[in-house]
């Protein structure tokens, strides 16, 4: 009998759900939420019943009996920093998902909904989260920022980065825990991380936009100019925060965060080409920095995320960093499969769930 796993991935304007039977995806659906629907709720936590009901309705319409589910894996939210792994949703996690300790995000609903549905199915069905964005395996030296009032944080695309790293390891016929890798996830935000023998020992805070600028985040800015901007009278605090994350990066320069449009226009417009190259240049610099973290002992550099579909970007980066290690491109992100495969590892007894405290 194949194991059946339900994966739940809530985003700001959508909720993705998928059913897997062992490694085979048998159902997937993206439920879109209009701005009007979302704005009617005072906060993300209050969307719980609305999103859960939609999930159950879509499964019923697809003819999927919820009672046949063996495990449920939700997208991990912005909880306390934890090491990489699969965690069973428990009371401590529920509390932190309901009362965000590091910021409110739609992904917090993943664990909450997974737990609620699992509880209704009885004791045999467990709810889990896997590799949330707050995975923290950073070396102590990597946390030091330059001033004791500020500490560097590990907030990155852990789920996709870990999944791609394991995919590469499998293709190479080696264990992820035996490799040194640099993984660059390039999407709405960009994270570049040093994976040393299965641990991400250094990375950038992609939530705030640290590191390379991205389609909608400004990245690391010259601090003096940023201070002057903050204490001038032209912008409010909220406007500056939006400039850093949401209206920064490519969209601030070109008025578009659509990298397909940027790639198309860059073919004939030098200004669009310059910004596309500048973003690629900054990603390359971050990869170079992570190579020093790994002391030059790098088995491979992996490029992933939606932007990795763009050949001009991946070619530019490869030309700059290919001397460090072989570059492999894994375009897109299959977070639903990553969630489900983590659940399958638990069901098959290949690993054990960790305890969130």
């Amino acid at each position: 009998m194949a194991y059946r796993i339900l994966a739940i991935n809530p985003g700001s304007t959508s909720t993705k759900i998928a059913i897997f039977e062992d490694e085979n995806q048998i159902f997937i659906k993206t439920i879109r939420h209009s701005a009007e629907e979302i704005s009617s709720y005072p906060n993300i936590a209050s969307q719980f019943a609305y999103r859960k009901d939609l999930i159950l309705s879509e499964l019923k319409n697809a003819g999927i009996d919820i009672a046949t589910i063996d495990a449920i894996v939700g997208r991990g939210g912005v909880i306390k920093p934890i090491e990489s792994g699969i965690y069973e949703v428990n009371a401590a996690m529920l509390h932190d998902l309901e009362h965000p300790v590091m910021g409110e995000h739609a992904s917090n609903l993943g664990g909450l909904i997974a737990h609620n549905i699992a509880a209704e199915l009885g004791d045999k069905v467990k709810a889990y989260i896997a590799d949330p964005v707050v995975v923290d395996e950073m070396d102590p030296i990597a946390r030091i920022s330059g001033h004791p009032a500020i500490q560097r944080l590990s907030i990155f695309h852990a789920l996709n980065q870990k999944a791609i790293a394991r995919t590469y390891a499998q293709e190479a016929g080696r264990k992820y825990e035996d490799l040194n890798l640099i993984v660059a996830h390039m999407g709405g935000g960009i994270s570049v991380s040093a994976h040393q023998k299965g641990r991400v020992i250094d990375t950038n805070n992609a939530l705030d936009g640290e590191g390379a600028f991205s389609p909608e985040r400004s990245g690391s800015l010259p601090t003096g100019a940023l201070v002057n901007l903050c204490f001038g009278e032209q912008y409010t605090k909220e406007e500056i925060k939006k400039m850093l994350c949401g209206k920064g990066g490519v969209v601030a320069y070109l008025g578009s965060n659509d990298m397909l449009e940027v790639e198309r226009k860059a073919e004939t417009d030098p200004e669009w080409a310059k910004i596309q190259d500048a973003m690629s240049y900054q990603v390359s610099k971050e990869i170079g920095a992570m190579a020093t973290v790994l002391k030059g002992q790098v088995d491979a550099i992996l490029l992933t995320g939606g932007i990795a579909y763009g050949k001009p970007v991946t070619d530019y980066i490869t030309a700059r960093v290919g001397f460090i290690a072989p570059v492999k491109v894994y375009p897109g992100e299959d977070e639903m499969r990553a969630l489900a495969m983590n659940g399958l590892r638990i069901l098959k007894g290949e690993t054990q769930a960790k305890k969130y405290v």
Side-chain angles (χ1 to χ4, degrees), residues 77-82 95-105 107-108 132-136 138 143 151-156 205 207-208 241 356:
V78 186
I79 50 179
K80 287 183 289 193
I82 56 177
H95 177 272
D96 287 352
L97 289 170
E98 292 171 349
H99 307 88
V101 292
M102 291 185 65
E104 193 175 45
H105 192 273
S107 59
N108 286 34
V133 295
V134 291
V135 162
D136 189 346
M138 285 173 66
R143 303 180 191 280
Q151 178 173 280
R152 293 189 65 239
L153 299 175
S154 173
I155 303 180
F156 70 109
N205 180 345
L207 181 65
D208 286 347
K241 288 176 69 175
Y356 181 83

Side-chain angles (χ1 to χ4, degrees), residues 81-140:
I82 56 177
E83 65 178 11
S84 174
I86 308 161
Y87 290 78
E88 184 176 343
V89 181
N90 60 13
M93 185 184 297
L94 289 172
H95 177 272
D96 287 352
L97 289 170
E98 292 171 349
H99 307 88
V101 292
M102 291 185 65
E104 193 175 45
H105 192 273
S107 59
N108 286 34
L109 292 169
L112 292 171
I113 296 173
H115 177 268
N116 189 267
I117 295 176
E120 294 176 354
L121 294 175
D123 294 337
K124 291 184 178 181
V125 180
K126 303 295 185 182
Y128 306 94
I129 67 166
D131 286 336
V133 295
V134 291
V135 162
D136 189 346
E137 302 168 326
M138 285 173 66
D139 281 347

